Amino acid sequence: MDLQDAQRVISSYYNEITNTFQRVPGSAMLVRYVQSSYQNDPVRSAIELVLVVFFVRYLLAPSYSTHKQNFVTLTEEEIDDLVDEWNPEPLVAAQTAFEEAENEKLPVIVGPTGPKTKLSSGRIITNLASYNFYNFVGNEHIKEKAIQTLRTYGVGPCGPPQFYGTQDVHMKTEADIASYIGTEGCIVYAQAFSTISSVIPAFSKRGDIIVADKAVNYAIRKGLQICRSTIRWFEHNDMEDLERVLQKIVKEQARKPLTRRFIVTEGLFETTGDCVNLPKLIELRLRYKFRLILDETWSFGVLGRTGRGITEAQNVDATQVDMIVGSLAGPLCAGGGFCAGSTDIVEHQRISAAAYTFSAALPAMLATTASETLNLLQSNPEILVQCRDNIKAMRAQLDPRSDWVMCTSAPENPIMLLLLKPDVVKSRRLSIEEQEKLLQECVDETLANGVLITRLKSMPVPPNSTSKEQGWQLQPALKVCITTGLSKKETEKAGVTIRHAITKVMTRKTSIKLALPTAA
């Protein structure tokens, strides 16, 4: 084939391809676009051609190489060695020698709990280690209501809230709590601990700012960890330091995009027993435009004339607090928790709070128990008066008369925290571990004399916080829980027993040289 024949064949192929291409719909528009593009800007046409080729190649190419072995080949013996050497990190840290020794002495309660409790050894002891402040556990009316609800609704709802888990008793409990506190709405959670740890991340996200008291409880700390917000700490119950931190934040955020800002604290502190200065806190949060999340786990049902909490005790309108979080499992002897506030705040949690959305609803029996205990507190405020009389009787036997311990709890707090006096700690040079061992000896000696009390347990180290940021350490303490199930005379007798047990332990010659038990 000569050159002319080759040209004719190529020309025929070109004409055939051109005719075929022209039959395709839209081909004329594409040809005009390419011609005008090439004439006006040939460089753009070249770049577009390269991009088209790259796109086609990208679609046809596999996401990874199917021919190259890009990993190390191990023999069966090497794989077995690696498996044998692998040591997974334990989910729970191993017990210390002190914890093992403590667990061996733990008393075991047989039968229902109450002011007088039977141990597995057969002894009947005075129980001052449970949160049965008003002896609701032994209330026959509440028992009858709980049994009736159990027979009507069953044990559990077997479903999440907002689906088929929400029942009429849940809606009644929410309405009762909102009416009791004085807020627009309320939402009930199935577990007390997870309530505050879900409320915080439901509103505060990464980039937001939270100012928290250094002495907040462990449930709040978990919520602070989950939300991933920027955390700023202020000294425990120090309103001047809080104002300093708020001023610094406002100054830093002056020229930055607007973020959500919260103050998180407790009404009645679990780790120290004292109360927050709520009127001053409200004043600061309004002045510097912060939202307030108030945890009333231990003040709800305790403080105030009718037990409405810190807002009633300090004459503060509950609507001035953005979110009031509380527990139904402590003083009310029921179960679960709640968050009260405006309607918008409540409804937002129904779709964004993890512990509400991804959990079964509160058992109907516990919801009914919570409503009944609230009614009892409202209709019988003398229950609170009797409890506070017993608190005074116990304090009279311990705080002023003991040379070894002092009470840091608020006067109306039924949980009395007894710390070793600073001069005792200083004179004996007691470390935190030695104080815990000494207080555990006091617990054991008190139990030997027929009264059950406990210790304030240590709190895990807050995550992602340095010593400079934290600067606060939980102090070891004895925990004595007052109850109306005992008369004033019985309470005074128990107080004398506790005081004598503390004195006996502290005056032992062997207690001067403290040593943690060695592991076997």
Side-chain angles (χ1 to χ4, degrees), residues 428 441 445 501 503-512:
R428 297 197 178 190
E441 291 181 14
E445 181 64 28
T503 302
K504 183 177 180 179
V505 171
M506 297 300 297
T507 53
R508 287 175 185 167
K509 293 182 180 180
T510 54
S511 295
I512 299 176

Side-chain angles (χ1 to χ4, degrees), residues 245-263:
V245 175
L246 297 181
Q247 288 176 346
K248 185 177 180 181
I249 293 174
V250 171
K251 185 177 180 181
E252 291 174 352
Q253 299 294 319
R255 298 184 179 181
K256 294 182 179 180
L258 185 63
T259 59
R260 288 169 290 196
R261 298 178 290 189
F262 299 88
I263 299 175

Side-chain angles (χ1 to χ4, degrees), residues 277-289:
N277 186 353
L278 189 57
K280 182 64 175 179
L281 188 62
I282 295 293
E283 176 188 341
L284 293 177
R285 82 104 178 168
L286 292 175
R287 182 188 306 170
Y288 296 100
K289 296 179 176 59

Side-chain angles (χ1 to χ4, degrees), residues 456-475:
L456 180 65
K457 300 299 182 179
S458 298
M459 190 165 48
V461 178
N464 304 325
S465 64
T466 62
S467 58
K468 181 179 179 181
E469 293 173 336
Q470 195 62 11
W472 186 86
Q473 187 174 24
L474 179 68
Q475 295 300 310

Side-chain angles (χ1 to χ4, degrees), residues 342-485:
S342 66
T343 304
D344 293 337
I345 286 176
V346 169
E347 295 305 320
H348 174 75
Q349 295 175 64
R350 298 194 190 279
I351 58 173
S352 61
Y356 186 84
T357 308
F358 303 106
S359 175
L362 182 71
M365 177 177 61
L366 297 180
T368 300
T369 301
S371 294
E372 291 300 321
T373 51
L374 287 179
N375 292 334
L376 286 177
L377 287 177
Q378 285 181 295
S379 59
N380 300 301
E382 60 271 11
I383 299 177
L384 294 162
V385 176
Q386 182 183 353
C387 183
R388 289 162 189 170
D389 289 341
N390 285 356
I391 295 173
K392 293 178 182 178
M394 180 64 74
R395 291 181 75 105
Q397 297 299 325
L398 293 176
D399 195 356
R401 295 191 179 185
S402 177
D403 296 329
W404 310 102
V405 295
M406 63 179 185
C407 181
T408 60
S409 300
E412 295 183 349
N413 188 354
I415 302 177
M416 295 181 59
L417 299 182
L418 304 176
L419 280 68
L420 293 174
K421 291 184 176 181
D423 55 345
V424 175
V425 176
K426 185 177 181 180
S427 62
R428 297 197 178 190
R429 298 178 182 178
L430 300 176
S431 64
I432 296 296
E433 292 77 11
E434 290 170 338
Q435 293 180 56
E436 289 180 347
K437 182 178 183 295
L438 198 58
L439 294 177
Q440 184 59 42
E441 291 181 14
C442 295
V443 171
D444 297 338
E445 181 64 28
T446 304
L447 180 60
N449 289 278
V451 179
L452 177 62
I453 61 174
T454 185
R455 289 189 301 113
L456 180 65
K457 300 299 182 179
S458 298
M459 190 165 48
V461 178
N464 304 325
S465 64
T466 62
S467 58
K468 181 179 179 181
E469 293 173 336
Q470 195 62 11
W472 186 86
Q473 187 174 24
L474 179 68
Q475 295 300 310
L478 295 174
K479 183 186 289 186
V480 181
C481 301
I482 311 302
T483 176
T484 59

